[in-house]
Amino acid sequence: MIIDRAVPPVHLHIGGEELDAGSGGVHEHVFPATGEVQGPVPLAGADDVDAAVRAAHAALPEWRAWTPARRAKVLTKLAELMENDREELARLSVLDNAMTHTLSGLLVDIMIGWTSYYAGWADKIEGKVTSVPGQQRELAYTVAEPYGVVGIIITWNGPLVSVGMKLIPALAAGNTVVLKPSELTPYATERVVALAREAGIPAGVVNFVPGGPDAGDTLVCHPLVQKVSFTGGPATARKILSACAESLKPAVLELGGKSANLVFPDANLDTAMMSAAGVVGTLAGQGCAIASRMLVHEDVYDEMAARVVGLVSSLRCGDPFDPETAISPLVTRAAQERVHAMIKRAQADGAKLLTGGGIPGGDLADGFYVEPTVFGDVDPGSELGQVEVFGPVLSMMRFSTEEEAVEIANGTPYGLASYIQTNDLARVQRLATKLHAGGVYVNGAPPVVSCELPFGGVGISGYGREGGLEGLFEFVRTKAVAIA
Ligand code: NAD
């Protein structure tokens, strides 16, 4: 399979205009698999972000005047265009962050699914009719109104998934948007923005400002931005919330995780084991909801550890376009060094290195790879047991009782997802209420986010939900009207 590896030029999109340059300078995009510079990415400066917000604000009256059915139609058209463009979107996603081509195709399909799903909701956003007894207001009703301009700030690991989770429901609900991707991953997202115009979404409804933290901060602080939807790390989320506090602006925060996968002796160990491949093989562990801690009952721990090591050590790092490649590189050299340093500290801390732990050499030496790594008997209180690695590292831990498993699972400040491997339904029901997480997923490899289900965190994994009706209603506010 020969795939074109040329990257397209990147633009800012403001009010329907495509701009070759921004006032924030230029980022030289590096392909993580080779360390080679691929091309310049123009960066939005504060004045570009201001212009984008003003364009989004100017586009609001027209977009809100469209009937919901017309918005539904144009979003359905967008999903069709994405489908037709599937190969190119998948190719660009690989060029963005060097995720495997297999994964990028899957994520494009997920984005298309979310787009169709929320297109279907666009003309079904209803209020309710009620009354206020005793106040002579016999007729009262609620209206779900869009916020206005929404600022969307996303990260580099799955930008197209964030498009489906944030951009599409924001538009379906009648908002206009300024979208700031990470400067590390502009390509596939810009393609979607161009497709949105082609689908018939009016100029200014979707604005695109690639940029770094300063551009994000300008967007959050802009007085015309009515709501912020953010995906990234907890440290950035704190800064964003501080900025939002000034004008009491609401925000949805989708942050990181340190998710636990509880494996009980009655589980199907074949499928339970597959989750280990998901941890190290999903974008080299750079996924927010991966089950990075595998908690295994002592009766099956040794067997599971042997199976997991067999599986993980068979996974190969390589060219992300090669269908045989399971492990892609980390996003930057700094990320590679950070993860490798964590591995070294874990060894010094006494965690047992069962496989991996090194940096591949040879043909891969210029890329930002880390070998898929498994640690055994990790102390739940150690750095490896507590801190999100965001790399291809699985931590295995033993437990002997259900209570102990829950205590370990809940023993970090995160709470994005929990996983249970068991065939005991009563156990599932008991544990689902006890696990401190936004979602509990039972059996098999961890699922990818599905549009029908709300997804989000508790604790420092954030708040607000994406997916399902909950995700749509993050982008409207309810107005009450009561008539005397
Ligand atoms: P990050 O927080 O550094 O950056 C995320 C985005 O925020 C980028 O676009 C960045 O430019 C922008 N930004 C940085 N500083 C800002 C500021 N002061 N104001 C406004 N915007 C600012 O995150 P990262 O390191 O790029 O991404 C990794 C984190 O994202 C991990 O913790 C991961 O778990 C999390 N994540 C969460 C989810 C989820 O849905 N829960 C999904 C993917 C990634």
Side-chain angles (χ1 to χ4, degrees):
M1 175 172 53
I2 297 173
I3 293 188
D4 174 13
R5 296 181 184 221
V7 293
V10 179
H11 309 90
L12 284 64
H13 292 238
I14 298 178
E17 299 289 318
E18 284 187 21
L19 309 175
D20 297 332
S23 62
V26 169
H27 167 74
E28 292 297 342
H29 190 279
V30 171
F31 189 45
T34 59
E36 286 166 9
V37 172
Q38 285 181 306
V41 177
L43 298 179
D47 50 342
D48 298 313
V49 174
D50 177 61
V53 174
R54 289 182 189 286
H57 191 252
L60 265 175
E62 181 189 357
W63 187 235
R64 284 188 63 169
W66 277 31
T67 62
R70 191 172 171 200
R71 280 202 291 269
K73 199 169 169 188
V74 84
L75 290 172
T76 302
K77 175 78 184 164
L78 175 57
E80 281 169 27
L81 293 179
M82 290 170 171
E83 187 81 54
N84 295 341
D85 207 44
R86 185 181 181 280
E87 286 312 312
E88 179 62 358
L89 286 165
R91 185 186 81 86
L92 293 174
S93 291
V94 179
L95 295 171
D96 266 327
N97 59 15
M99 70 171 74
T100 62
H101 194 240
T102 313
L103 179 64
S104 74
L106 180 69
L107 298 190
V108 172
D109 290 341
I110 289 173
M111 172 184 67
I112 295 169
W114 281 68
T115 304
S116 300
Y117 176 81
Y118 279 122
W121 274 116
D123 57 358
K124 298 170 193 69
I125 303 173
E126 295 171 343
K128 65 178 180 185
V129 179
T130 182
S131 64
V132 190
Q135 293 184 31
Q136 293 163 349
R137 302 205 185 284
E138 292 304 326
L139 173 64
Y141 57 92
T142 63
V143 190
E145 293 185 337
Y147 276 89
V149 178
V150 175
I152 296 180
I153 298 172
I154 61 178
T155 186
W156 45 264
N157 67 343
L160 291 190
V161 176
S162 291
V163 162
M165 297 173 102
K166 294 173 185 293
L167 175 68
I168 306 299
L171 295 176
N175 301 279
T176 60
V177 168
V178 177
L179 172 62
K180 192 205 84 62
S182 164
E183 72 277 29
L184 300 178
T185 50
Y187 301 118
T189 318
E190 181 180 0
R191 183 84 178 178
V192 171
V193 171
L195 293 178
R197 285 287 286 137
E198 201 182 322
I201 293 177
V205 172
V206 180
N207 303 276
F208 176 75
V209 285
D214 290 348
D217 183 56
T218 307
L219 182 56
V220 170
C221 294
H222 200 293
L224 291 177
V225 171
Q226 298 295 305
K227 176 139 192 179
V228 173
S229 179
F230 170 72
T231 296
T236 309
R238 288 187 188 99
K239 290 184 196 157
I240 287 179
L241 270 194
S242 301
C244 285
E246 189 58 34
S247 57
L248 298 176
K249 196 174 287 181
V252 174
L253 305 173
E254 296 291 355
L255 313 178
K258 190 75 189 170
S259 301
N261 186 13
L262 279 54
V263 183
F264 290 91
D266 64 12
N268 178 335
L269 298 188
D270 293 334
T271 54
M273 183 184 73
M274 291 312 293
S275 64
V279 172
V280 296
T282 305
L283 196 62
Q286 301 169 113
C288 53
I290 60 162
S292 55
R293 294 181 297 153
M294 182 181 271
L295 279 48
V296 186
H297 190 274
E298 58 190 0
D299 288 355
V300 286
Y301 181 92
D302 291 337
E303 182 187 346
M304 270 303 280
R307 286 188 183 214
V308 164
V309 167
L311 174 68
V312 170
S313 56
S314 74
L315 302 173
R316 294 277 161 263
C317 299
D319 174 12
F321 283 110
D322 181 344
E324 299 295 314
T325 294
I327 311 290
S328 51
L330 299 188
V331 69
T332 57
R333 180 71 73 199
Q336 180 199 39
E337 289 169 358
R338 182 184 55 74
V339 169
H340 196 229
M342 270 187 95
I343 289 172
K344 294 282 166 216
R345 285 199 299 276
Q347 284 179 278
D349 256 5
K352 282 189 205 154
L353 180 64
L354 301 182
T355 184
I359 304 266
D363 290 354
L364 301 181
D366 290 335
F368 310 146
Y369 293 89
V370 171
E371 288 172 358
T373 300
V374 180
F375 279 101
D377 290 308
V378 173
D379 175 355
S382 65
E383 183 190 34
L384 192 56
Q386 289 287 313
V387 178
E388 186 181 41
V389 180
F390 234 50
V393 179
L394 174 68
S395 301
M396 298 190 69
M397 303 172 194
R398 269 175 224 264
F399 69 84
S400 50
T401 63
E402 225 177 74
E403 292 67 32
E404 191 190 359
V406 170
E407 196 182 322
I408 297 172
N410 290 346
T412 79
Y414 293 98
L416 193 54
S418 284
Y419 304 91
I420 309 173
Q421 311 285 337
T422 183
N423 281 315
D424 180 344
L425 189 54
R427 191 199 316 273
V428 170
Q429 288 176 286
R430 267 195 312 277
L431 294 187
T433 56
K434 291 182 183 167
L435 288 167
H436 187 61
V440 176
Y441 306 91
V442 183
N443 289 339
V448 283
V449 284
S450 29
C451 50
E452 303 86 354
L453 264 186
F455 173 79
V458 301
I460 66 164
S461 291
Y463 48 74
R465 291 294 178 262
E466 300 187 321
L469 260 186
E470 287 87 346
L472 183 66
F473 274 81
E474 293 287 358
F475 293 108
V476 294
R477 47 189 161 199
T478 305
K479 178 179 279 177
V481 182
I483 301 170

